[in-house]
Amino acid sequence: MKLTLLLLTAPLALAFAPLPARHTRSVALSAVDRDSVASSVICAICSLGLTAQIAVAAPTTVDQFTLPSYDAAKGVAVIDLKDEVQDVNKKTMANAKARREFQDNSVEKTEMDKLRAIEAEEAKLFESMTKQSEEAKKARVKAEIEESRANRWKTF
């Protein structure tokens, strides 16, 4: 177990180990490239050792899937969810009824209701004033038309 843990953590330790500072650079391979090649080779060797250990430690027989016997299967009781479903349905219906019947009596709601009522009254007043204005305009136009007809022949 300790050897397996060591083999798993060795590549990680090598991957994060700081590289030694070298000031010279060769033409063929730099120091950084040599260090990365060396760490890659070490990782490959460790992983080969790990796979060999896993192959040796693995069991040689695989358990076959078998069905339970008839006697064991018929002894299992069926789970009855009818009562639980009814409880959940009752709870859901109670929540829905509470949401439907909920009345907000907060101060903000009452103020907004009063404001809406005042706005509705003002809208009715504005509509009636607009209607009266249109009727007065139509009456003026009608009177002007009648006057122009009456004075049509008096221009000579």
Side-chain angles (χ1 to χ4, degrees):
M1 180 69 179
K2 291 180 183 179
L3 183 61
T4 306
L5 184 61
L6 179 66
L7 288 175
L8 287 175
T9 57
L12 293 175
L14 289 173
F16 293 108
L19 297 173
R22 295 188 184 155
H23 298 290
T24 60
R25 236 180 121 90
S26 66
V27 176
L29 228 104
S30 68
V32 174
D33 292 338
R34 276 186 263 143
D35 290 339
S36 61
V37 168
S39 62
S40 299
V41 169
I42 291 172
C43 288
I45 291 171
C46 290
S47 62
L48 286 175
L50 181 63
T51 55
Q53 282 185 355
I54 291 173
V56 171
T60 57
T61 60
V62 177
D63 294 335
Q64 296 291 325
F65 176 75
T66 56
L67 292 173
S69 67
Y70 177 74
D71 293 332
K74 74 176 184 178
V76 176
V78 178
I79 299 172
D80 186 22
L81 297 177
K82 186 182 247 184
D83 294 333
E84 292 177 18
V85 171
Q86 287 177 355
D87 292 342
V88 170
N89 286 342
K90 286 178 185 177
K91 187 176 180 181
T92 304
M93 294 301 287
N95 288 340
K97 183 178 180 182
R99 280 194 308 259
R100 279 193 310 268
E101 296 176 354
F102 176 73
Q103 290 184 355
D104 187 11
N105 296 327
S106 64
V107 175
E108 294 87 9
K109 171 96 167 68
T110 55
E111 289 177 0
M112 289 304 296
D113 289 343
K114 289 177 185 177
L115 182 63
R116 285 188 196 104
I118 291 170
E119 287 176 350
E121 290 174 13
E122 290 176 353
K124 286 181 184 178
L125 178 63
F126 181 72
E127 287 177 14
S128 67
M129 290 173 65
T130 306
K131 191 174 184 180
Q132 287 176 357
S133 172
E134 289 176 4
E135 289 175 358
K137 183 178 178 182
K138 288 180 183 179
R140 282 194 312 268
V141 170
K142 187 177 181 182
E144 188 177 333
I145 292 173
E146 288 177 3
E147 182 183 348
S148 67
R149 285 186 183 162
N151 293 332
R152 182 180 293 174
W153 301 110
K154 294 184 181 177
T155 57
F156 300 114

